[in-house]
Amino acid sequence: MPGLAIVGAQWGDEGKGKVTDLLAERADAIVRFQGGNNAGHTIVRDGEEFKFHLIPSGILYPDKACVIGNGVVLDPRILLGEIDGLRRRGVDVGNLKISANAHLIMPYHVLLDTAGEIKLGKLSIGTTRRGIGPCYADKALRLGIRVQDLLDEKILRTKIRAALEPKQQALRELSVQRRKLRKEAGEGEREGAEEAYEAAPDPRLDLHAMTEEHVNYGHRLEPHIADTARLCWEKLDAGRTVIFEGAQATLLDLDHGTYPFVTSSNPIAGAATVGAGIAPSDIEEVWGVAKAYATRVGAGPFPTELEGEAGRHMVEKGHEFGTTTGRERRCGWMDLVALRYAVRINGMTSLAITKLDVLSGLDPLRVAVRYRSREGAQLDRFPYHQSILHSATPEYEELPGFDADISECRSEADLPRQARDYLDFVADFVGVPIELVGVGPGREQVVWRD
Ligand code: IMP
């Protein structure tokens, strides 16, 4: 401590929100450093369920700063919806701070995300269609709109105008292509109506209405806008603990994940420096969060994916449906080749394993310890080449399963021996201690290991 990063060690949805919520007890500030409302986390507190997409998990602690860092892409409509929802339930959101440098997801980003996915057809990534990729693309193109722009109507209008023009062009081209595709597919009868619709100016893309709407968002968000990097420095320099909460996960990292089936930001721990404005030396601990098995939503390689009964068991017992899109998650055995890669690239100092309770009733348990390439080569390391990963088959170590319901276990000694052996095998294999184990959705359903 004082700087502690929490990152996803697999393909997302590992339960980072719950781990952050627990570790936040020791922290002064919780900072999100990348991603947007493509994320989703659920926190169960005193039997009450809270779902967030943008607001960091620490919001339920009134005495902690809760920060949306500059690396986040923020849809103001969604954020204000979350703020209103929390206020209605009596949660004080005065401690929410938003970086003036964070980029905004604009309505055209959402339209482009959807249009892009449709255009890709069978090659689509399976994005959450929340506008994440187009927003980060505009940031890199220097056509982005930032939170601070909401506070100056003239600048806002000028920037929206500059950004909007190429989008209107791109969306027009995409809709023409779509029409052609539809014609080829023989869906001519809907054509007339679609054409009339597409020829009409899209009210969602009107410069003046969009500017006005966003000026209003600016008024409402103004009390929360702050110099969030400085806020982090002040806390860190005073020796206070600051948590940097990653969204998505290592294997969805734009540079180090299974590109192109990734998100458009960097969810690994190193990105906390850029996305929050702190120094690498400010991060002293890195916690990786992994499920006791593996899941993935959207397309892309997933070597240990299961299609049979064990996979169904995980979907049903683990309620594996996305918080953001409701899609059923793909499930499979824990992949220790990928986990060891995630440990190294993040510099993990601790692991939290969630949903161990879901494995109860499966016997034997399997963990992938190496892959075999199509040509028969043994692969002990996560392959960097996409084609090799796509065709790699996992080789498993079999471990004895357990039948007992472990959801009431609160100490390591309460866990069945097979569950403890499973955890020990994982920790030994990847070389990082497992400090926290989730045994159910509730906040109290955890086992802290020595
Ligand atoms: P995008 O981030 O919406 O562009 O989606 C890119 C890929 O990341 C897709 O495969 C999504 O399913 C995946 N993804 C994005 N956010 C999450 C998340 O919070 N959990 C799991 N997968 C995610």
Side-chain angles (χ1 to χ4, degrees):
M1 304 270 219
L4 184 155
I6 300 177
V7 293
Q10 297 163 317
W11 279 282
D13 310 309
E14 296 95 347
K16 294 178 290 294
K18 175 172 167 174
V19 175
T20 305
D21 186 39
L22 289 165
L23 293 179
E25 277 179 19
R26 293 148 61 185
D28 251 37
I30 298 93
V31 185
R32 258 196 74 176
F33 59 87
Q34 45 73 228
N37 58 309
N38 47 348
H41 48 255
T42 308
I43 294 174
V44 182
R45 187 65 83 80
D46 301 328
E48 218 185 324
E49 197 175 79
F50 292 87
K51 284 184 194 287
F52 304 115
H53 295 286
L54 264 170
I55 292 187
S57 316
I59 197 72
L60 299 181
Y61 296 92
D63 56 331
K64 302 183 194 299
C66 205
V67 178
I68 295 184
N70 58 277
V72 171
V73 286
L74 182 161
D75 187 327
R77 198 176 50 84
I78 302 293
L79 179 62
L80 285 163
E82 289 191 4
I83 291 176
D84 290 343
L86 281 166
R87 283 213 178 105
R88 273 196 301 275
R89 293 168 77 174
V91 179
D92 177 15
V93 290
N95 54 351
L96 176 68
K97 305 290 171 206
I98 304 168
S99 167
N101 291 349
H103 279 247
L104 296 176
I105 297 182
M106 302 296 286
Y108 44 80
H109 291 138
V110 181
L111 293 174
L112 277 172
D113 197 357
T114 303
E117 282 285 274
I118 292 171
K119 186 183 172 207
L120 281 171
K122 278 193 191 133
L123 298 177
S124 73
I125 293 157
T127 74
T128 59
R129 301 194 177 189
R130 299 297 189 264
I132 307 296
C135 183
Y136 277 116
D138 264 0
K139 177 178 177 175
L141 281 170
R142 287 146 300 170
L143 278 177
I145 317 283
R146 296 192 293 173
V147 167
Q148 57 186 280
D149 300 326
L150 294 175
L151 305 180
D152 184 323
E153 182 168 350
K154 199 160 156 232
I155 288 180
L156 181 64
R157 188 184 309 275
T158 308
K159 291 196 173 180
I160 296 181
R161 182 182 288 119
L164 197 52
E165 218 179 81
K167 312 297 182 305
Q168 280 167 329
Q169 175 79 17
L171 285 165
R172 250 195 312 272
E173 280 166 15
L174 285 168
S175 72
V176 169
Q177 280 178 0
R178 227 174 19 247
R179 247 186 352 246
K180 270 196 205 142
L181 283 175
R182 218 176 279 131
K183 235 184 223 168
E184 280 166 25
E187 291 182 43
E189 71 280 7
R190 283 168 55 204
E191 214 177 287
E194 294 277 348
E195 256 170 48
Y197 173 74
E198 280 157 8
D202 188 331
R204 293 169 297 183
L205 297 180
D206 179 75
L207 171 66
H208 299 291
M210 203 184 295
T211 308
E212 203 175 307
E213 185 187 351
H214 283 76
V215 166
N216 283 332
Y217 293 153
H219 290 316
R220 293 198 53 204
L221 291 177
E222 193 167 3
H224 299 282
I225 301 175
D227 181 349
T228 53
R230 186 171 299 279
L231 184 151
C232 293
W233 304 337
E234 283 168 3
K235 299 222 179 265
L236 291 164
D237 293 347
R240 309 277 185 208
T241 297
V242 179
I243 290 181
F244 300 95
E245 177 188 15
Q248 291 85 48
T250 304
L251 298 168
L252 291 174
D253 186 278
L254 181 60
D255 288 76
H256 301 286
T258 52
Y259 191 90
F261 302 102
V262 292
T263 192
S264 296
S265 65
N266 295 105
I268 60 171
T273 61
V274 179
I278 52 149
S281 53
D282 284 321
I283 300 177
E284 293 188 8
E285 277 187 43
V286 179
W287 280 61
V289 186
K291 273 180 202 170
Y293 48 102
T295 63
R296 174 163 205 168
V297 271
F302 182 7
T304 61
E305 183 167 15
L306 286 166
E307 267 154 22
E309 223 173 277
R312 267 331 307 152
H313 172 105
M314 291 166 187
V315 171
E316 277 156 28
K317 194 150 186 218
H319 307 290
E320 293 297 351
F321 299 91
T323 318
T324 302
T325 57
R327 288 180 287 179
E328 183 175 307
R329 297 180 184 135
R330 300 155 67 193
C331 290
W333 295 117
M334 195 174 211
D335 183 342
L336 297 186
V337 183
L339 187 59
R340 194 158 52 183
Y341 170 74
V343 163
R344 180 62 186 90
I345 207 157
N346 288 288
M348 279 177 207
T349 52
S350 306
L351 263 173
I353 300 291
T354 57
K355 296 186 131 180
L356 185 63
D357 53 305
V358 174
L359 293 186
S360 140
L362 291 174
D363 194 12
L365 299 172
R366 295 193 174 92
V367 286
V369 290
R370 69 185 80 81
Y371 303 146
R372 190 67 61 182
S373 79
R374 195 176 10 215
E375 293 73 28
Q378 178 174 317
L379 306 170
D380 293 311
R381 302 216 174 93
F382 196 69
Y384 66 86
H385 200 294
Q386 210 202 143
S387 311
I388 296 179
L389 182 63
H390 269 280
S391 58
T393 43
E395 293 189 354
Y396 293 105
E397 182 80 22
E398 283 193 359
L399 301 165
F402 52 93
D403 252 337
D405 173 4
I406 61 167
S407 60
E408 297 302 321
C409 296
R410 295 293 176 269
S411 78
E412 202 176 343
D414 296 340
L415 292 172
R417 188 181 47 76
Q418 297 89 331
R420 279 182 276 138
D421 288 349
Y422 184 81
L423 295 171
D424 286 341
F425 187 91
V426 171
D428 285 348
F429 193 92
V430 301
V432 176
I434 296 172
E435 302 208 32
L436 183 63
V437 182
V439 292
R443 192 170 189 279
E444 68 299 341
Q445 289 181 292
V446 284
V447 170
W448 288 94
R449 296 179 98 212
D450 295 336

